[in-house]
Amino acid sequence: MKRMLLLVVVLAVVFTLVACVPSQPAAPAEPAETEAAQAEQPAAEAAKTYEDLTIGFIQTGSEGGWRAANTASFKETAEQLGINLKFYDAQNKLENQVSAFHQFNQDKDVDVIILAALETTGWEEVLKEAQEAGKVVVLEDRRIDAPDDLYVTYIGSDFAEEGRKAAVEMCELLKDSEKKIVWELVGNVGSSAAKDRGQGFREKMGECGIEITKSQTGNWSITEGKQVTEAWLKETKDVQGIFAQNDEMGLGAIEALKEAGLVPGEDVKVLSVDATAGAFKAMLDGDLNVTVECNPLLAPQVYEAALKAVNGESLPKWVPSQEGVFRATDANLQEIADGRKY
Ligand code: AHR
């Protein structure tokens, strides 16, 4: 009986041990089986580099020194980075910009579209088309009025802030003048640069009693800036300051003032925006009092943003440029001018 009991205990222990032994690992799959399984898994996509990018760039045109520097920045930087750049000059015509946008949307090679918009409105249709075509859209220089989910980011100036700075500087220039009548030469009227600079100037000008008695477009050009100022001067010479929304129009106004027998910079204070080489020369000649900087050298930041977006990174909707103010009274003006790129 005892033997039987012992036998039962031994058998129970043996069964328990057998049950606890881990099962054998499965035999390795046949090579063909493994390859087939891998083929089903999508391979993780390698991050794109600048050399992989084809970018369609829609420029406004070539209206002056600021724009020339902006274009050069995009062309030179694309070459340095190995980006394939398809550059389009819209010759300051909105319809050209819109049709170039349609073409880039349809161009299978184009990954990214960069737009410097002539006007703030009228972009929703092409932006939606771009989204459907899977294009990354980056705005440079000019903001637009459109839902911000239709583009990745806007990299450019705070134009309203430039206008506010201009008003503060004009107040300083006219602080000893009893009358503070200012004429405003406006850029291309539908552009964000013109709208926002005008608005920013008006926000601050009241603080010292500036009154704008004349305001008209000079379309960013020396010739038109001169013509408009000439016409005004025929009506009256009662003006203490001219606020030109870019340097070219300021240079045109300076010519008109001289031809009318007035001394620009003294009889009439002249302030413009951009800080181009032409403005520095005019300040060194004593004709221009102040230029508010607007940075055109945006390409490195814009291309970096485009690459990040292509690789799926999300970006802030606006990256404002850092900008200063230069005055004819600055001690080291020549040195500053010599060190600038545009
Ligand atoms: O958008 C920037 C503006 O465009 C510059 O101030 C002007 O000169 C240019 O044409």
Side-chain angles (χ1 to χ4, degrees):
M1 187 61 193
K2 266 188 185 169
R3 274 195 190 155
M4 275 295 284
L5 213 65
L6 194 66
L7 190 67
V8 170
V9 171
V10 169
L11 281 174
V13 169
V14 169
F15 279 128
T16 313
L17 285 174
V18 168
C20 290
V21 170
S23 57
Q24 288 289 317
E30 290 296 303
E33 243 177 78
T34 322
E35 275 162 29
Q38 275 172 358
E40 276 164 29
Q41 298 272 329
E45 243 184 75
K48 288 203 174 181
T49 66
Y50 287 121
E51 282 95 347
D52 300 320
L53 296 187
T54 293
I55 296 184
F57 183 102
I58 307 169
Q59 183 58 288
T60 56
S62 48
E63 63 270 17
W66 191 97
R67 192 59 58 190
N70 184 246
T71 293
S73 170
F74 279 89
K75 287 187 175 171
E76 283 163 17
T77 313
E79 212 166 305
Q80 284 156 14
L81 298 175
I83 290 170
N84 178 26
L85 182 68
K86 296 191 176 191
F87 182 86
Y88 180 77
D89 177 343
Q91 297 180 346
N92 283 299
K93 292 200 180 101
L94 187 61
E95 62 272 26
N96 288 353
Q97 285 205 314
V98 172
S99 76
F101 213 133
H102 281 302
Q103 276 179 29
F104 285 144
N105 282 342
Q106 281 147 24
D107 187 334
K108 295 264 176 299
D109 294 336
V110 168
D111 311 287
V112 175
I113 298 170
I114 297 173
L115 172 69
L118 276 164
E119 310 250 329
T120 51
T121 55
W123 296 106
E124 281 202 36
E125 190 198 324
V126 282
L127 287 170
K128 282 184 185 149
E129 189 183 83
Q131 206 165 51
E132 277 155 26
K135 309 293 182 194
V136 161
V137 176
V138 179
L139 308 178
E140 80 100 15
D141 167 30
R142 305 270 179 86
R143 68 162 185 85
I144 58 171
D145 293 328
D148 67 8
D149 60 326
L150 293 177
Y151 57 88
V152 165
T153 185
Y154 159 51
I155 295 177
S157 305
D158 185 338
F159 296 127
E161 182 57 19
E162 290 172 356
R164 286 189 284 268
K165 285 180 190 168
V168 169
E169 293 295 323
M170 189 59 93
C171 280
E172 181 58 25
L173 291 169
L174 298 182
K175 67 172 189 285
D176 297 327
S177 170
E178 205 184 307
K179 293 181 88 180
K180 297 177 201 295
I181 290 176
V182 170
W183 295 346
E184 180 188 40
L185 287 164
V186 181
N188 169 239
V189 282
S191 69
S192 56
K195 289 179 180 178
D196 297 354
R197 283 175 189 162
Q199 177 217 308
F201 193 88
R202 282 161 180 76
E203 279 171 27
K204 282 276 172 187
M205 68 181 197
E207 289 180 13
C208 71
I210 286 175
E211 190 193 345
I212 295 180
T213 58
K214 292 185 186 298
S215 175
Q216 194 179 314
T217 185
N219 279 315
W220 307 123
S221 99
I222 297 188
T223 319
E224 285 187 57
K226 183 179 176 187
Q227 284 166 354
V228 171
T229 313
E230 260 169 10
W232 286 339
L233 286 168
K234 279 185 190 139
E235 287 170 30
T236 175
K237 292 202 172 66
D238 189 11
V239 57
Q240 288 74 52
I242 292 183
F243 165 41
Q245 289 190 355
N246 82 340
D247 290 339
E248 270 76 16
M249 294 188 294
L251 298 178
I254 286 168
E255 281 182 29
L257 288 166
K258 283 183 178 170
E259 285 174 20
L262 293 165
V263 181
E266 283 182 29
D267 295 338
V268 182
K269 307 293 181 192
V270 186
L271 180 151
S272 58
V273 183
D274 278 351
T276 55
F280 274 87
K281 187 179 175 304
M283 285 195 293
L284 288 161
D285 291 345
D287 295 334
L288 181 72
N289 299 89
V290 172
T291 183
V292 174
E293 188 181 33
C294 177
N295 180 17
L297 309 176
L298 301 173
Q301 267 176 292
V302 172
Y303 288 146
E304 190 185 353
L307 184 64
K308 283 185 177 165
V310 164
N311 284 321
E313 272 188 56
S314 57
L315 298 161
K317 284 292 168 185
W318 180 21
V319 183
S321 319
Q322 298 302 310
E323 296 164 341
V325 172
F326 301 99
R327 305 171 183 94
T329 50
D330 287 346
N332 47 353
L333 203 61
Q334 183 68 64
E335 217 178 295
I336 300 172
D338 292 344
R340 288 176 66 79
K341 273 194 88 174
Y342 67 101

